[in-house]
Amino acid sequence: MRALFVATILFCTAISASAAMTAPQEGPVDGRFDVGGRFIRLACKGAGRPTVVIDAGMGTAPVEDAGWQAIAAQVAPVTRVCLYDRAGLGQSDPAAPGPRSSLDAAHDLHAALSAAGVKGPYLLVGHSLGGLHAQVFAVQYPADTAGLVLVSTTHPDQFSNWLTLLPASMPGEEPAVTETRSFLTSMQTDPSKNEERLDMQASAVEAHKLTSLGEKPVIVLTHSPRFRMVPGLSELVAVRLEDATQRMQRQFLSLSTNAHQIVAERAGHGLPHEAPAFVVHGILQGIAAVREQPPRR
């Protein structure tokens, strides 16, 4: 980890220097912005292109989250970086009652950025569920998407694939299997069972529409294969689920001809808090890859 930290500092210094002469003068942004009668919290600092936009996992409000604040602080000397709280999180207003999908989240984010005057294209950094939303954003707003950094991101087929890999239901099965099956089933079929009322099936359909970003960079930051996503499962079942998860993470590489994966040695799904230097390094790699792209015509 020390070697990664040193490499990140050197990398940060190099790409910051390369952009210093061309970075536009941009003031900080911190406020609540109208997205059609509701207000979404957005906080941005730093200057330069591309603008990095961070979307966190379920239930996490990055603007108020110390882990994401620390990551943004290391990105800001290199380029503009924005933290965004989804509807109902942090200081963002709740959405209208009823289920939501990744498409709703993508529309909210685009509207908030537009209202705040934060121009794209954006390098979208999505952790867990935030990465699913980022995929849908890239479908809806391709011209405003410079690339993706997917941080232990939810795959569109993740929950359905896990369900098929669990043992068939039987009397006397281990309680962890029963609980996992119930959780995955409810996530698939009942948006009211998760705190953001997200319709996972609708979101998966929306994310599957992203088939290619062409040559736009995609950086896949994957948690360690040693991680066990569901505590309490027997090792045989846990390994089966994790092997499938690692395969799904590799599938993200097909989204671009300019895709790269980095796998954490030990850190689990909570990469932004367990291995922040790992996440910063991945974001800086994404920034550098975007800047290497030829200018758009």
Side-chain angles (χ1 to χ4, degrees), residues 25-274:
Q25 297 300 311
E26 298 166 323
V29 168
D30 190 350
R32 286 162 32 89
F33 298 92
D34 191 342
V35 297
R38 294 181 292 111
F39 288 82
I40 292 292
R41 177 79 187 280
L42 186 70
C44 308
K45 57 185 175 181
R49 292 288 183 266
T51 296
V52 171
V53 178
I54 291 172
D55 195 358
M58 183 172 283
T60 301
V63 179
E64 292 79 14
D65 183 80
W68 278 117
Q69 288 174 351
I71 288 171
Q74 294 185 63
V75 175
V78 176
T79 197
R80 196 173 207 188
V81 56
C82 299
L83 299 172
Y84 143 75
D85 292 348
R86 290 190 298 272
L89 301 177
Q91 295 183 30
S92 290
D93 290 341
R100 285 172 58 80
S101 73
S102 292
L103 183 59
D104 295 308
H107 287 332
D108 276 0
L109 174 56
H110 192 266
L113 290 166
S114 298
V118 179
K119 297 181 179 179
Y122 315 107
L123 178 65
L124 300 166
V125 178
H127 173 232
S128 190
L129 188 67
L132 189 67
H133 299 336
Q135 294 167 63
V136 177
F137 186 102
V139 173
Q140 291 297 307
Y141 307 105
D144 286 332
T145 302
L148 299 176
V149 179
L150 302 176
V151 185
S152 192
T153 281
T154 302
H155 189 279
D157 298 329
Q158 184 165 304
F159 296 115
S160 58
N161 281 352
W162 281 356
L163 270 171
T164 66
L165 293 171
L166 290 175
S169 179
M170 63 179 65
E173 68 182 3
E174 55 181 302
V177 171
T178 305
E179 292 169 7
T180 300
R181 186 185 298 110
S182 176
F183 169 76
L184 294 175
T185 300
S186 67
M187 284 293 288
Q188 287 281 95
T189 61
D190 190 353
S192 70
K193 296 297 184 182
N194 67 74
E195 60 188 297
E196 295 191 41
R197 296 182 281 113
L198 190 73
D199 186 328
M200 290 301 305
Q201 290 183 324
S203 298
V205 170
E206 294 159 2
H208 269 303
K209 294 178 182 178
L210 180 63
T211 57
S212 175
L213 286 170
E215 297 180 351
K216 293 179 181 179
V218 173
I219 307 298
V220 182
L221 303 180
T222 302
H223 62 259
S224 169
R226 305 178 188 185
F227 177 64
R228 300 294 176 256
M229 189 72 75
V230 183
L233 287 175
S234 67
E235 186 66 0
L236 178 64
V237 177
V239 167
R240 188 185 303 160
L241 294 184
E242 185 54 41
D243 285 348
T245 302
Q246 293 291 327
R247 286 194 298 273
M248 286 184 278
Q249 288 284 301
R250 290 192 291 273
Q251 288 173 9
F252 288 131
L253 295 172
S254 68
L255 293 177
S256 171
T257 58
N258 187 11
H260 305 277
Q261 183 183 30
I262 313 172
V263 181
E265 182 179 354
R266 295 185 179 277
H269 180 64
L271 286 172
H273 300 90
E274 295 179 44

